[in-house]
Amino acid sequence: KKTGKGELYLNKGVWMDASTKQTFLDSYVPARRVTYFANFFTSIACFGERADGEDLSRGIVVPKSLDLEYEQYINDKLWIRTVLLRGRQSFPDTLGFVNGKDTGKYVIPEQPKGSPTRLRVLYTPGASDATTKRIAAAVDRFVNVAAALPRGGPSRVRGLQLGYFKSTDQEAIVAGILQKLVKCPEGDSVILEEYLTTMPSQKLVTERGLSIRPQQSGPAPVSVKQVLSFQENVTGEEDEPWETDPNAADSQLAFFARVVVALDGDGKPNAASCTCGIAPALRPFERDQECLPATLDQVLRQWGVTDPKVVEDTRSVLFSEAVRVHNSLLAEQSTISVGGKVAEGAPDIISVDFILALKNSLVLPHVIRVHDHDSLAFPQKLDLILGMPGRSVESWIRRMLTRSQDYILKGKLFLIVGGGGFGKLEQWEIMEELGLRTALADHNEKHFMKDRVDYFIHVPELTNHAEDENNAKAIVAALEERGIKDVVSGVSTTYDPCVVVTAFVAEMLGLHGNGGATHDLAKDKYRLARFLKQQNESSHYATPAALYVAESIEVKTAEDVRKTLEGPTAKMTLPAVLKHTHGMCGMGVKLVTSVEQAMHEFVEMDKALKEDLDSDWTGMSFKGEVFLMEYLDGTEHDVDIVMFKGELVAALVTDNGPTRLPYFNETCACMPSKRHDDEVAALVAGAHQVCRAAGLHTGVYNVEMKYTSKGPRLIEINARLGGFYLTNWAKRVFDVNLVRCVVQVACGIRPIVPDVRPKPRTYCVGLQLYNSHHGKAIRKLVPANEAKITYEERMQQNRFRQLEADNVLIWICMAAALQDQPAEWEGAYANVGCSGASHEEAAAKLLTVCACMGLDDDTSLKTDYFVAGLGIKLQGGNTASYLQLSSK
């Protein structure tokens, strides 16, 4: 049933349990809201036999696989060919006959003068002698070889509707056109197209005495139009059958390739599968019913193409051309209007039929037909044969789930407590893209997002974290005063120091989260470590959290430091780490190698944190202290995990390079991890276990781990979304939108991620940029005063921006401006990264970019030092070799 708001509700439905292979029919009380609608009961999809789905589709706001108005276009072969012509894609030369007047639907772009006309449309309003003569004249100019005569659509009827004719049968062609036009509804068309032949076979096959001759063994092609095109609907009952000699020993074969393309979560087309069919070339056939599904590899082997590189290149070309078709359909959406209404739902999934035909001495993929979502049976038959059920539609299902969850989020009121600074702008933009209404509570009355949110609440004492619980009460009271307390759906923060107060607000509103006390514990690194050390109960299957935790000891004075590190009372060996209980971004963490150094650094660190630095940035507003932590050997890793009610939904592992010792500021990273799968699994298991033990059951967390000589060990839990480049890279590499996950879990929605450890789509390698190390080069790239830079600097800046625009480099800026800070407390200004088909390719690009941009000039440690620290090995040892490796 539909509501007045355009929503759709389900009273009764069938669902399937994949694990048990059972099917159920359920009634829903109350009715369930539909969050995605794929309509297979339209007149076009059902060949005019039923259309009861059309009324459901009209006027609804539910995400749809295909808009009802757009369906009239995508099933129109003639209109599709106008799109292909605009996109400069190959298809059989076509002459279209429309039953009716010109309505402006078929807009044919100007075709190059002097070249053959690829597409022409004639309008035939009513049968008459004049119409017959016009058709005959057009056919005479078009046909000089064999031709195919299918219906153009968009309406469809069952039965065989395609006729094949020889070039000498012009009278029969004209009669066939007139016969089909009479039966066409007004606005439908009949098309006459060149008759394409499949690419010649590369071998001669002899089996059991039956020779299958290569096609080039026959008569030489008379012209480039001697090609065979396959249509899904073939000869009508009134057409004479295509005669063949069943006793003939020679049998020419042809094949077509159907590529399925679906949009991803970002609305970008991705090719999912390629399914081929083989049939005799000398007669028309019903493609899905008269041939077995086969892989492209199978078909090309039969045609004598066995070189793996040629096969992959062919698949790549087919995929690329199919993606181009989908992109063209998306671009055409704004131009489509039916009854004054612009079509809103471009297809989420299509399939494109190709024939690899010899034309102009080249084998090219020619588009024969484009289908909407009702053409997936044939590819899925192959999926079952290969033991890969769902392969062809997996991308579509992901698109369904993404749009479904976004639909649920759209319009919800989401509260952000602590809006963060310039580096959090990307997170804000993602939330805006999700269609959320937002409220912001922040201490800065002039916050840069104040005018972009729906509600702003000024909380002057928000940075006083000793009053987090009272500040939470003040925020809840402000929400109630504005009349929005009961409509807030979720609460989160973009700013690390506000994690605790945010948790208190969510708890007071009765929303999803872990509670203020849990986050208060997680925020205190020393208290958390001691708490986890006590979680040593074991079972036969779960490792106790205590085994993942390094030793930590509280020290309040320099003398406590001495007693901890030397003498008969020593509880810790050197080297050790001095660490602040509430620091962030590497602030207040330093390696010490002697007792004297440890005592001196303790005094200096305590003084600097309390007197010289901003209290909220360093965590001193929490009244934290300094403690000693066991130094861990091994490699450092970020484990970004998504949890929902204790369940591990997703885990993404990143490798970090060598830090800026004796400080622990991050220098470089790569995603995904280069460690072996079993080691990555161990890191994930450790991160999940310590979060569960800490009471962090629902949220998105950044867990810093080390893989030591004794296995995974915890550095610390950041009970919030990971910072720096991690959000950006997670989307690029794993197609996981962590910001969306934050919003979803805060609103009580379990995020849908294909695998707990998703497979990477690409590889990223990046370098953290610091003013003290890269400041001189950075100022040339992003100068404070454009008027004062030199011509050479401006050219270098332009190259940098162009590389960013071309997606050669990934530039993530974490600060609004460069600042002079003491090296030990310095925060990163930006991250420059590159992606590639492997860690090595991404690293090669990064080294090339850093060299071209001068980021290694006047630095003591070059980028290749940090890349080598990630375990990425490249050929050669200088920038020239990297330039050769780089794809740009």
Side-chain angles (χ1 to χ4, degrees):
K1 65 178 181 180
K2 286 194 292 187
T3 69
K5 296 181 179 179
E7 293 183 327
L8 204 59
Y9 283 84
L10 185 67
N11 292 303
K12 182 181 290 187
V14 175
W15 64 279
M16 295 82 173
D17 188 326
S19 60
T20 63
K21 311 296 184 185
Q22 289 182 298
T23 303
F24 302 87
L25 174 63
D26 281 357
S27 296
Y28 301 112
V29 180
R32 286 194 175 185
R33 183 164 66 132
V34 175
T35 57
Y36 189 90
F37 187 52
N39 191 356
F40 291 89
F41 288 164
T42 66
S43 178
I44 291 177
C46 298
F47 297 88
E49 295 171 2
R50 63 183 297 177
D52 39 317
E54 294 185 4
D55 286 339
L56 286 176
S57 187
R58 290 189 180 97
I60 60 172
V61 295
V62 182
K64 293 173 280 189
S65 61
L66 176 65
D67 190 83
L68 196 61
E69 284 73 22
Y70 211 132
E71 187 186 32
Q72 303 286 330
Y73 283 75
I74 197 171
N75 285 283
D76 188 332
K77 300 183 188 74
L78 188 55
W79 180 81
I80 285 291
R81 296 194 180 183
T82 67
V83 174
L84 296 173
L85 186 59
R86 281 190 286 277
R88 298 186 177 183
Q89 292 190 265
S90 297
F91 59 90
D93 290 349
T94 302
L95 179 59
F97 301 92
V98 179
N99 181 21
K101 298 179 180 179
D102 184 0
T103 60
K105 181 178 182 180
Y106 306 108
V107 180
I108 301 176
E110 185 176 349
Q111 301 174 65
K113 294 181 179 179
S115 62
T117 300
R118 297 179 59 198
L119 178 63
R120 185 183 173 199
V121 178
L122 268 70
Y123 297 91
T124 58
S128 65
D129 291 341
T131 297
T132 303
K133 290 180 180 179
R134 287 181 62 225
I135 292 174
V139 169
D140 182 61
R141 289 193 296 269
F142 180 81
V143 177
N144 58 0
V145 291
L149 183 64
R151 283 188 56 168
S155 63
R156 297 157 69 185
V157 295
R158 294 196 184 278
L160 303 176
Q161 297 296 317
L162 177 73
Y164 283 3
F165 299 88
K166 299 175 182 178
S167 59
T168 55
D169 297 336
Q170 293 196 20
E171 289 186 7
I173 293 174
V174 173
I177 293 170
L178 290 170
Q179 194 176 45
K180 292 180 186 299
L181 276 174
V182 169
K183 297 181 179 181
C184 282
E186 186 173 353
D188 271 29
S189 64
V190 174
I191 61 176
L192 181 67
E193 64 178 23
E194 64 175 320
Y195 186 88
L196 298 174
T197 215
T198 305
M199 71 177 195
S201 174
Q202 302 299 306
K203 68 176 183 179
L204 181 68
V205 179
T206 303
E207 186 175 345
R208 296 182 181 178
L210 176 65
S211 64
I212 303 177
R213 293 184 180 179
Q215 293 187 7
Q216 65 263 35
S217 65
V222 177
S223 76
V224 295
K225 289 188 176 181
Q226 221 165 9
V227 248
L228 166 66
S229 91
F230 297 102
Q231 299 296 330
E232 183 150 4
N233 298 316
V234 222
T235 17
E237 295 177 359
E238 66 277 12
D239 295 318
E240 292 187 8
W242 188 270
E243 294 189 10
T244 58
D245 182 1
N247 298 316
D250 297 340
S251 175
Q252 292 183 350
L253 297 177
F255 73 88
F256 72 95
R258 177 173 294 180
V259 178
V260 177
V261 187
L263 302 184
D264 62 16
D266 295 325
K268 297 178 180 177
N270 285 299
S273 67
C274 178
T275 307
C276 298
I278 303 174
L282 298 182
R283 65 177 179 84
F285 63 95
E286 278 282 8
R287 196 162 26 205
D288 289 0
Q289 300 174 10
E290 296 188 12
C291 63
L292 295 171
T295 66
L296 180 65
D297 305 61
Q298 287 175 278
V299 170
L300 291 181
R301 280 198 302 271
Q302 183 166 332
W303 256 252
V305 180
T306 58
D307 186 336
K309 185 178 185 306
V310 175
V311 174
E312 285 308 309
D313 286 348
T314 304
R315 192 188 333 274
S316 177
V317 169
L318 289 170
F319 279 12
S320 176
E321 288 300 297
V323 167
R324 283 185 62 201
V325 172
H326 207 162
N327 275 321
S328 295
L329 293 176
L330 296 177
E332 292 285 337
Q333 178 176 335
S334 61
T335 68
I336 294 176
S337 177
V338 178
K341 178 183 180 295
V342 176
E344 297 174 353
D348 276 352
I349 187 168
I350 63 170
S351 61
V352 185
D353 289 351
F354 293 96
I355 180 172
L356 292 172
L358 179 66
K359 190 167 183 176
N360 297 336
S361 301
L362 292 173
V363 173
L364 296 173
H366 296 262
V367 179
I368 306 303
R369 174 93 186 261
V370 177
H371 309 262
D372 57 27
H373 61 206
D374 66 349
S375 61
L376 302 174
F378 189 61
Q380 290 189 90
K381 291 175 184 176
L382 180 62
D383 295 348
L384 290 175
I385 290 172
L386 298 176
M388 303 169 67
R391 176 191 63 142
S392 296
V393 295
E394 182 179 359
S395 297
W396 185 27
I397 292 170
R398 288 197 62 187
R399 174 69 172 169
M400 288 184 190
L401 295 171
T402 298
R403 293 189 68 192
S404 172
Q405 293 200 317
D406 286 352
Y407 176 64
I408 295 171
L409 288 176
K410 190 173 183 180
K412 287 186 180 295
L413 181 59
F414 196 72
L415 173 64
I416 299 293
V417 181
F422 178 81
K424 306 300 181 183
L425 184 58
E426 183 180 26
Q427 293 184 29
W428 280 104
E429 290 173 344
I430 292 172
M431 285 188 283
E432 288 178 336
E433 290 170 2
L434 291 174
L436 295 167
R437 294 185 300 137
T438 50
L440 169 62
D442 199 87
H443 71 282
N444 182 1
E445 197 171 10
K446 296 181 179 179
H447 194 278
F448 65 88
M449 287 299 299
K450 180 180 179 179
D451 296 329
R452 291 172 62 173
V453 296
D454 296 277
Y455 303 95
F456 181 79
I457 300 170
H458 184 216
V459 189
E461 295 296 313
L462 194 61
T463 58
N464 181 3
H465 298 292
E467 297 294 328
D468 273 346
E469 194 165 359
N470 288 330
N471 286 330
K473 292 177 181 177
I475 292 170
V476 172
L479 293 171
E480 189 166 23
E481 183 181 337
R482 286 166 171 77
I484 57 174
K485 175 187 171 184
D486 295 332
V487 295
V488 174
S489 297
V491 186
S492 187
T493 183
T494 64
Y495 187 43
D496 184 283
C498 288
V499 168
V500 178
V501 65
T502 299
F504 276 120
V505 172
E507 187 176 17
M508 292 173 187
L509 292 174
L511 298 174
H512 285 77
N514 307 296
T518 297
H519 278 275
D520 188 51
L521 171 66
K523 182 61 181 170
D524 189 322
K525 296 172 174 55
Y526 175 72
R527 283 177 55 214
L528 178 64
R530 299 312 304 163
F531 175 81
L532 291 175
K533 270 295 185 183
Q534 298 168 12
Q535 310 305 306
N536 54 10
E537 293 185 5
S538 181
S539 72
H540 292 296
Y541 308 106
T543 303
L547 292 183
Y548 292 106
V549 183
E551 191 61 54
S552 297
I553 298 174
E554 184 180 24
V555 287
K556 293 185 177 296
T557 66
E559 182 61 19
D560 290 343
V561 174
R562 186 189 65 77
K563 290 179 180 180
T564 302
L565 296 175
E566 74 173 5
T569 59
K571 299 176 181 178
M572 188 175 290
T573 59
L574 291 166
V577 178
L578 275 172
K579 194 168 184 177
H580 187 258
T581 56
H582 291 79
M584 62 185 211
C585 302
M587 295 286 181
V589 186
K590 193 168 186 178
L591 180 69
V592 291
T593 57
S594 70
V595 175
E596 293 75 17
Q597 181 196 11
M599 295 172 67
H600 173 75
E601 292 297 342
F602 172 84
V603 173
E604 292 299 315
M605 182 183 294
D606 192 53
K607 179 182 177 182
L609 287 168
K610 290 179 179 178
E611 298 178 6
D612 298 338
L613 298 174
D614 176 81
S615 61
D616 209 32
W617 175 252
T618 60
M620 282 307 299
S621 54
F622 286 89
K623 310 302 179 186
E625 303 291 343
V626 177
F627 68 101
L628 275 169
M629 178 179 169
E630 171 191 359
Y631 175 72
L632 300 170
D633 65 348
T635 55
E636 187 174 334
H637 308 271
D638 283 301
V639 184
D640 290 280
I641 62 175
V642 180
M643 293 177 63
F644 188 74
K645 298 181 179 180
E647 176 194 359
L648 181 61
V649 176
L652 319 176
V653 181
T654 307
D655 295 348
N656 294 326
T659 57
R660 304 170 71 203
L661 293 175
Y663 313 108
F664 288 85
N665 308 97
E666 189 175 328
T667 59
C668 63
C670 67
M671 181 190 283
S673 174
K674 280 182 60 62
R675 296 206 73 103
H676 294 291
D677 282 348
D678 51 358
E679 295 168 343
V680 171
L683 287 165
V684 170
H688 184 215
Q689 185 70 350
V690 296
C691 284
R692 283 176 57 91
L696 299 169
H697 296 145
T698 297
V700 179
Y701 310 121
N702 172 250
V703 185
E704 298 180 29
M705 306 279 289
K706 266 199 166 183
Y707 199 94
T708 73
S709 54
K710 298 178 182 178
R713 291 293 187 273
L714 173 69
I715 300 174
E716 62 189 46
I717 299 175
N718 299 306
R720 41 77 179 165
L721 180 67
F724 296 150
Y725 49 85
L726 289 169
T727 299
N728 185 292
W729 284 16
K731 190 70 183 74
R732 291 174 183 270
V733 175
F734 296 112
D735 195 22
V736 176
N737 189 330
L738 289 175
V739 176
R740 179 193 278 124
C741 290
V742 168
V743 175
Q744 287 173 326
V745 296
C747 293
I749 302 168
R750 183 193 180 279
I752 300 296
V753 179
D755 300 295
V756 171
R757 289 167 50 201
K759 295 178 181 179
R761 302 185 302 174
T762 186
Y763 296 77
C764 283
V765 178
L767 178 71
Q768 294 282 80
L769 304 179
Y770 294 87
N771 183 30
S772 61
H773 201 66
H774 309 95
K776 185 176 179 181
I778 293 173
R779 283 179 172 83
K780 294 178 182 179
L781 301 177
V782 283
N785 190 335
E786 292 276 356
K788 293 184 178 181
I789 64 174
T790 66
Y791 173 79
E792 289 77 13
E793 290 171 340
R794 181 170 285 107
M795 290 299 99
Q796 192 171 31
Q797 182 185 4
N798 290 342
R799 286 198 298 272
F800 161 68
R801 293 303 181 195
Q802 188 61 50
L803 288 171
E804 183 184 16
D806 291 344
N807 207 29
V808 175
L809 65 84
I810 307 163
W811 179 259
I812 301 170
C813 198
M814 277 88 78
L818 284 168
Q819 296 179 355
D820 293 321
Q821 296 170 321
E824 58 266 38
W825 313 113
E826 186 179 20
Y829 168 73
N831 180 280
V832 59
C834 292
S835 62
S838 65
H839 289 108
E840 290 72 22
E841 181 180 313
K845 289 182 180 180
L846 178 64
L847 288 162
T848 304
V849 165
C850 289
C852 293
M853 297 296 99
L855 291 172
D856 278 342
D857 296 349
D858 303 317
T859 59
S860 56
L861 294 175
K862 309 299 183 184
T863 305
D864 57 359
Y865 165 80
F866 297 110
V867 168
L870 289 168
I872 300 174
K873 297 179 181 179
L874 298 177
Q875 300 172 7
N878 53 51
T879 305
S881 64
Y882 305 140
L883 284 165
Q884 293 174 0
L885 284 170
S886 176
S887 64
K888 286 282 184 179

